[in-house]
Amino acid sequence: MRIDIAKGFFHLIMDSGYSPSIAEQSCVISPLSDEAARSLLLPTSEEAYIIKRLFLGDGIPAFLVMECIPLRFLSDPLEADNLPESVFQIAADHCRERIEYSNMTIGTVKDIDDIGRAMRLPEAKTLLRLKETHYTKANKPLIFSDIYVNDDIIHFQVRRKIG
């Protein structure tokens, strides 16, 4: 998976040679977490849709994704049963502005109980954690994504050029 090209999770899973699906999906309105509020430059009292989804590759957990979309940025409400799989398409369909680019921080986290259970992992392991802020053309933060990756399914690749 090249991390310098923005793609939806289904495409990332297919590019890794697996058949994608979504096992679980929820969409609730809640105040922003401290981390999401900092990334979006908003107060923690700001209400947002929190979309939580478990993406599978050939039935194996690949991504656990939590996306935070502040209500103030939406042109119409979201429904869990009718969401596109890609945050880029969600923004195009439901937000007042589109995603122009994203900044991602990559780290690791030792399988914490609730994440491991949510990802249906049989044993404790280290997971990749991607924290991604999606921006508008005017450089305004629009959506925050907190992503846990099972690197047994998804592998990362970066192409670097000299000079």
Side-chain angles (χ1 to χ4, degrees):
M1 175 182 129
R2 289 188 55 186
I3 58 175
D4 59 326
I5 298 173
K7 292 183 179 182
F9 293 107
F10 273 20
H11 287 166
L12 296 173
I13 292 168
M14 286 187 291
D15 287 352
S16 293
Y18 296 89
S19 177
S21 61
I22 297 176
E24 298 170 16
Q25 181 166 269
S26 65
C27 182
V28 298
I29 295 175
S30 177
L32 291 171
S33 67
D34 290 342
E35 187 169 41
R38 273 191 310 278
S39 292
L40 295 169
L41 306 176
L42 294 171
T44 55
S45 60
E46 185 82 22
E47 288 201 322
Y49 277 103
I50 310 300
I51 302 167
K52 183 177 179 181
R53 300 189 277 187
L54 179 62
F55 290 86
L56 307 177
D58 290 347
I60 302 166
F63 296 102
L64 177 64
V65 180
M66 287 157 284
E67 292 161 328
C68 305
I69 307 174
L71 297 182
R72 70 165 73 185
F73 299 150
L74 292 167
S75 56
D76 58 274
L78 302 178
E79 298 175 20
D81 296 338
N82 197 21
L83 289 174
E85 62 83 22
S86 165
V87 70
F88 308 106
Q89 193 62 51
I90 291 172
D93 292 350
H94 297 281
C95 291
R96 292 188 181 97
E97 297 183 67
R98 297 176 71 93
I99 295 171
E100 184 69 22
Y101 68 95
S102 303
N103 284 338
M104 179 190 301
T105 302
I106 302 170
T108 59
V109 63
K110 185 69 174 163
D111 171 18
I112 39 186
D113 290 338
D114 54 338
I115 298 298
R117 274 193 300 277
M119 288 191 76
R120 302 178 185 172
L121 298 174
E123 57 191 45
K125 66 178 283 175
T126 300
L127 300 169
L128 292 174
R129 185 177 185 194
L130 314 177
K131 293 186 259 184
E132 192 167 24
T133 305
H134 307 280
Y135 293 86
T136 67
K137 190 172 189 172
N139 301 316
K140 181 178 82 175
L142 183 67
I143 298 172
F144 174 74
S145 299
D146 193 5
I147 305 159
Y148 295 86
V149 182
N150 179 356
D151 65 355
D152 290 340
I153 302 293
I154 302 296
H155 306 283
F156 292 96
Q157 175 184 344
V158 177
R159 179 177 297 160
R160 297 173 23 167
K161 294 183 180 181
I162 306 300

